[in-house]
Amino acid sequence: MQRKISDDPSTTAVHARGKEAHASRSVPTLTIVSHPQPQRIGERLLLETLVSLGRTASLSRNEPDFSRPGSLLALPLGDPFISRKPVQFEPGVRGGVRLLVPEDGTQVHVAGRPVIGGLELSPEELAAGVPIVLAERVAVLLHLTRTPEQPHLGELGMVGQSEGVRRVREEVSRVADLNVPVLIRGETGSGKELVARAIHQNSPRRAGPFISVNLGALPKELVSAELFGVQKGAYTGAAKDREGFFRAAHGGTLFLDEVGEAPPEVQVALLRVLETGEVFPVGSHAPVPVDVRLITATDANLEERIRQGVFKAPLLHRLAGFEIQVPPLRERREDIGPLFLHFARQELEATGELQRLSGTDPRAEPWLPASLAVRLVRYAWPGNIRQLRNVTRQLVIGSRGLPGLRVDARLEQELDSAAAAVPGQVLSTPGASRPAPASEEPDSAEVRASRRKPSDVGEQELLEALRASSWDLKATADRLGIPRSSVYVLIEKSSLIRTAKDLSPEEITRCFHECQGDLDQMVRRLEVSKRALQRRVRELGLAEA
């Protein structure tokens, strides 16, 4: 950071993206999320014939072969409980996919619902991901993959092969060796620090320090001292000089998380550091030069904060020498299985049960039950990867000594409370294998729900829909025309709406007695989900009327 960012020609190089014109398309893909051999989780199969030739693709016990991206090894599902008579996938209405199940073949469930005959799946549902269970043992996720794929860049410390993760890897590779500041945006728990570490590890500064600081966790009155250092005697208690995080990161990378929480005076100082490459320790009038690559991250809308006057526009322009957007977990559902396996391996190694992931018996009961895998991929994951890691730890530790993972009632209820809508429209003629007319439009509530963007729903509209639906999230989703999982996410983001977990035990207990235990009356008064409130009532030991 010896020269001004504005004078760095590499800034122009970063934004000058290549203009190679590669025709890309979306290809339906099956990714394994549960299998009697757990190590096969993450293997996938591209249903190319559906797009390239408009032909039917078949799936049975013995064919076709699944493989891990970048691997030469390919194997069929191989589960002896799956029929040799194939389940078929055909081109569907409006670019969707039609799933056809033979009467005397493998038992198939989609999102917990048995499929008899066939199911029409819309392009929107494919984009969201459709969990399919075969013979109650093997679970696969039907989703879309963009092809042709970029050359394999390596993991870069990030698990997953979704389009969003591949894009992040590509952007890390583009910017890592350049001396420009990077702004990483993404929801809480989505892995922003992991991306920052990948940039550092692939940069010329990899031998230098990587210092990670959460600005939101620092007392506001001490932020300047912690970042820029303190001169002895600057204030009461400053008994000696302190270098601060910027000088500690000299020659390396400084990662500032929750940069949107920086106080105004710190914003001014950060802008000065970016422009001059110098810091002023608190109490000192002499600048100290620093050579630091600054990477920042936020889950806040900085543009909105600028409009509100609490964040400085020039600082945003300096921080965002290059931006990387980290996708939320609900937009990369094909990565949930491999991520779960990654975290499970860490926990099993700690508990001495790593052998559970090395099973080779195709007749064994799956260690990760297919029903649980479906719950994991359908859940909205408001806490993203951090929440998935915690849930994985809970499941592994809670199932120590057992042959398979066991989910307790509380966690099961939590996963079900924010599950995506059950996808698909049942074909009118069970067992039919002929395509429906091209003009046929799916009209189920779930398919209609997928046609509206959740971002189009305002806070007030959401609140009114919840009230009109008596705080039933499924009814609210149908009323608004969005998936139920999106209702959960919108509630979490809303400043107008509380959730049951926001209620204090005293408030719930008082309302319980005033309503004489009538849960419906409590829901109307407290304005929260009935299922979530019922759970809180039970946790507090209150007996419902």
Side-chain angles (χ1 to χ4, degrees), residues 41 160 182 213 227 233 239 246 250 317 347 365 374 381 383 422 439 503 531 538:
I41 292 173
V182 177
V213 181
L227 289 179
F246 264 96
H250 185 79
H317 301 153
E347 297 302 324
E365 285 297 315
V374 168
W381 298 109
V422 176
S439 60
L503 303 175
R531 178 180 291 183
R538 289 173 178 170

Side-chain angles (χ1 to χ4, degrees), residues 43 97 122 172 186 246 304 308 330 333 355 377 477 518 537:
E43 293 180 11
V97 168
S122 72
V172 167
F246 264 96
E304 179 61 29
Q308 295 170 354
R330 63 183 174 276
R333 294 185 189 273
Q355 73 279 3
V377 298
D518 187 328
V537 166

